[in-house]
């Protein structure tokens, strides 16, 4: 892993570009300070592509659990966004500096998902690089690039999660979701409010065709281009993680 001081030093040119491009926009100072703090803490890195655009690169671990009836556990929205996310996504966690995917997965499976941890069987892992515009740093016109370690697992239908919602409340939580069909009675009857780390999230078991990987990871794979240095950076990060042995809990 990169030493924090080295990471901060490498980010200086990218931060300078962002400052120059946003110098006439109001209230961007706080955003630049937050972004610089993230780089120092190791939760992200900054890179510049061949077109001179700055991209924020971070690592995440995601869990794709499929039940025997084919439904996939999906996160629908977060309390801090008033549960108004339009697209579902897999339960996931951003990895901190020097944190390995198996460590992040263990933390993801603690708390309200601890009952699930003892009832799942892990399958293959995959690595997926996705890109999406940053909502947190929208004033900076910044793209997020996520290096995702996606862990697949299966479980039976007897898993019980806490925080089950009444049908009326469940319908209210599902209403904003573009991928939800009112005829999906199964999802309506299994909506839960869970505490995942610092977030309270809404989860349910959705039909598998709602769990398209490119959608749920909030972005599509980056274009392959010799001009886009982020692709080479991501591949280097993935190679380093592979060499450190990605072993997930049994």
């Amino acid at each position: 892993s990169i030493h924090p001081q080295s990471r901060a030093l490498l980010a200086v040119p990218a931060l300078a570009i962002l400052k120059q491009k946003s110098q006439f926009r109001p209230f961007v100072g706080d955003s630049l300070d937050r972004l610089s703090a993230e780089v120092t803490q190791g939760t992200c890195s900054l890179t510049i592509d061949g077109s001179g655009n700055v991209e924020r690169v971070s690592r995440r671990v995601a869990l794709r659990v499929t039940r025997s009836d084919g439904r996939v556990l999906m996160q629908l929205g977060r309390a801090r966004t008033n549960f108004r996310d339009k697209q579902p996504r897999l339960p996931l966690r951003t990895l901190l500096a020097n944190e390995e995917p198996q460590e992040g997965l263990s933390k993801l499976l603690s708390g309200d998902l601890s009952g699930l941890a003892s009832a799942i069987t892990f399958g293959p892992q995959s690595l997926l690089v996705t890109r999406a515009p940053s909502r947190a740093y929208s004033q900076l016109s910044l793209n997020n690039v996520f290096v995702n370690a996606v862990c697949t697992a299966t479980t039976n239908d007897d898993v019980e999660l806490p925080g089950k919602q009444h049908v009326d409340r469940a319908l209210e939580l599902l209403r904003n979701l573009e991928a939800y069909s009112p005829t999906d009675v199964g999802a309506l009857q299994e909506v839960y409010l869970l505490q995942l780390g610092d977030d309270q999230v809404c989860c349910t078991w959705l039909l598998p065709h709602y769990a398209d990987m490119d959608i749920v990871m909030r972005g599509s794979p980056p274009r392959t281009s010799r001009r886009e240095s982020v692709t080479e950076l991501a591949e280097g990060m993935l190679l380093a993680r592979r060499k450190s042995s990605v072993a997930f809990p049994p």
Side-chain angles (χ1 to χ4, degrees):
S1 61
I2 303 176
H3 190 277
Q5 291 182 344
S6 300
R7 187 184 297 108
L9 184 62
L10 291 171
V12 169
L15 289 169
I17 290 175
L18 290 175
K19 186 174 182 179
Q20 181 181 15
K21 287 185 175 181
S22 58
Q23 60 181 324
F24 298 113
R25 299 176 187 174
F27 312 115
V28 298
D30 289 345
S31 295
L32 287 171
D33 289 343
R34 284 192 293 116
L35 185 59
S36 180
E38 284 191 359
V39 172
T40 302
Q41 294 164 4
T43 55
C44 74
S45 300
L46 298 180
T47 185
I48 305 170
D49 68 14
S51 301
N53 299 312
V54 177
E55 295 185 305
R56 174 180 173 271
V57 183
S58 58
R59 299 180 302 119
R60 307 188 300 188
V61 60
L63 179 63
R64 182 186 175 99
V65 181
T66 304
R67 288 195 316 199
S68 58
D69 62 359
R71 288 182 177 270
V72 179
L73 183 65
M74 302 293 293
Q75 179 177 313
L76 309 181
R78 295 166 292 174
R80 60 180 173 176
T81 61
N82 200 25
F83 302 109
R84 293 188 179 276
D85 291 2
K86 295 295 185 181
Q87 295 290 349
R89 67 176 183 176
L90 298 175
L92 54 83
R93 185 178 186 278
T94 299
L95 298 175
L96 303 177
N98 302 320
E99 188 175 32
E100 297 298 331
Q102 64 267 28
E103 297 176 66
L105 182 61
S106 296
K107 292 178 181 178
L108 182 63
L109 285 170
S110 62
D112 284 350
L113 286 183
S114 58
L116 185 66
S118 59
I120 57 179
T121 302
F122 284 95
Q125 302 101 37
S126 61
L127 293 165
L128 180 67
V129 180
T130 57
R131 173 191 283 124
S134 173
R135 291 181 295 180
Y137 295 106
S138 57
Q139 290 179 311
L140 302 179
S141 300
L142 195 64
N143 275 336
N144 284 328
V145 176
F146 300 113
V147 182
N148 304 289
V150 183
C151 311
T152 62
T154 56
T155 187
N156 56 45
D157 297 344
D158 299 327
V159 175
E160 293 187 6
L161 298 175
K164 188 172 183 178
Q165 301 297 295
H166 188 273
V167 170
D168 290 344
R169 174 60 171 157
L171 183 59
E172 179 186 345
L173 290 167
L174 289 169
R175 190 169 294 154
N176 294 310
L177 191 66
E178 293 177 351
Y180 171 68
S181 168
T183 60
D184 186 0
V185 179
L188 184 61
Q189 293 178 339
E190 292 189 88
V191 173
Y192 306 89
L193 286 183
L194 306 176
Q195 192 69 36
L196 301 185
D198 296 330
D199 278 336
Q200 186 184 42
V201 302
C202 174
C203 292
T204 192
W205 296 90
L206 284 181
L207 295 170
H209 59 271
Y210 293 139
D212 179 81
M213 194 64 71
D214 285 349
I215 295 176
V216 302
M217 298 310 294
R218 293 184 177 276
S220 56
R223 299 183 304 275
T224 54
S225 168
R226 295 182 64 181
R227 295 186 60 187
E228 294 193 1
S229 59
V230 66
T231 302
E232 295 179 1
L233 173 64
E235 289 176 349
M237 294 170 69
L238 296 180
L239 181 60
R241 295 295 157 186
R242 286 172 181 165
K243 288 181 178 179
S244 67
S245 178
V246 180
F248 294 95

